[in-house]
Amino acid sequence: VQATLFGRLALFIAYVDQAAYAPQEVERRRGDAAWLRSEARLHERLSLRALAHGAFVPARLLHVFPHRLALEEAFAENDARWSRALTRFAEKREFALHVFAGPHSAPGGETYLVRVAGRVSRSIRRVPLKASDAIAARVGELWRGCARHASAVRRVEGVAARGLVGSTVYLVAADAAESIPLLVTKAALTDAELGLTYYLEGPRAPFSFI
């Protein structure tokens, strides 16, 4: 993977086998969990390293161009939009909060891109809570507290896990990133009496909001 200047931006690109990454082949292999996991891990590692070097936003996973000319044409068409995305998201980070009640297994196994960012709802509708009134009140209070520090909130859908009450993702200014962990740590201490367990992931690049 190399950084290549295009106008005012630098794009991280990699040259790949043309047949192995042809559009129809990529679509076919999206159902291959091991292959998709490998691609997502590379994407995540690159994003983590790039964040340490300056303003950066990730492209979508498996953003493939058939040749260099197609990439140059895409840049000419999207330069202004990509620049706006850099301005809007470069100083933002995301946190994923997972809430469990009672016995459960810790979230994990899959890559973050597949397990969380690939399942966020584009809607910001209220997250439904299938829990007792006491648990719903505590969890709702934490979710609202985190939302007050965020510029955007999304929910994670389609996750079937024992004991899972719900998962939300928050977009937070990088200079305020400590606020979310502090809220979750405090809530974890007081809410354990109800059998609640909180898992917080982040800060990460704003994968779920790009």
Side-chain angles (χ1 to χ4, degrees):
V1 179
Q2 56 189 293
T4 303
L5 282 174
F6 283 78
R8 299 167 297 167
L9 304 178
L11 304 183
F12 287 90
I13 62 174
Y15 290 93
V16 295
D17 181 83
Q18 193 171 33
Y21 286 83
Q24 63 274 17
E25 183 65 11
V26 170
E27 288 306 310
R28 183 185 71 82
R29 299 197 70 181
R30 284 185 187 275
D32 182 340
W35 181 80
L36 192 62
R37 186 183 305 117
S38 176
E39 295 292 328
R41 283 177 177 160
L42 174 62
H43 200 72
E44 289 178 5
R45 286 200 300 269
L46 171 62
S47 297
L48 183 63
R49 294 182 65 178
L51 280 174
H53 293 282
F56 167 83
V57 293
R60 71 176 186 267
L61 182 62
L62 294 172
H63 200 157
V64 184
F65 298 91
H67 44 70
R68 173 67 179 241
L69 179 58
L71 174 59
E72 293 174 353
E73 291 173 347
F75 173 78
E77 181 180 346
N78 293 284
D79 179 24
R81 185 168 65 87
W82 290 350
S83 295
R84 288 195 299 271
L86 191 65
T87 300
R88 182 180 178 188
F89 292 107
E91 298 303 322
K92 299 289 178 63
R93 302 292 181 266
E94 74 174 58
F95 288 88
L97 174 60
H98 313 284
V99 180
F100 287 83
H104 63 276
S105 297
E110 279 291 354
T111 60
Y112 184 85
L113 274 173
V114 173
R115 180 170 45 84
V116 175
R119 290 172 168 160
V120 293
S121 168
R122 299 304 175 187
S123 166
I124 56 174
R125 293 171 297 176
R126 183 178 64 85
V127 179
L129 279 175
K130 297 179 180 179
S132 68
D133 291 344
I135 287 178
R138 291 283 185 92
V139 174
E141 182 179 351
L142 176 58
W143 277 342
R144 289 190 296 273
C146 290
R148 284 193 288 270
H149 293 275
S151 58
V153 182
R154 287 183 177 167
R155 61 177 178 169
V156 183
E157 297 182 328
V159 181
R162 182 188 182 192
L164 180 65
V165 176
S167 298
T168 44
V169 184
Y170 302 91
L171 184 67
V172 182
D175 59 5
E178 294 182 358
S179 57
I180 301 295
L182 287 174
L183 279 173
V184 174
T185 299
K186 182 179 179 180
L189 294 174
T190 60
D191 298 351
E193 64 186 31
L194 292 175
L196 288 168
T197 306
Y198 301 131
Y199 295 93
L200 184 66
E201 299 186 76
R204 294 181 181 270
F207 296 114
S208 302
F209 297 89
I210 294 296

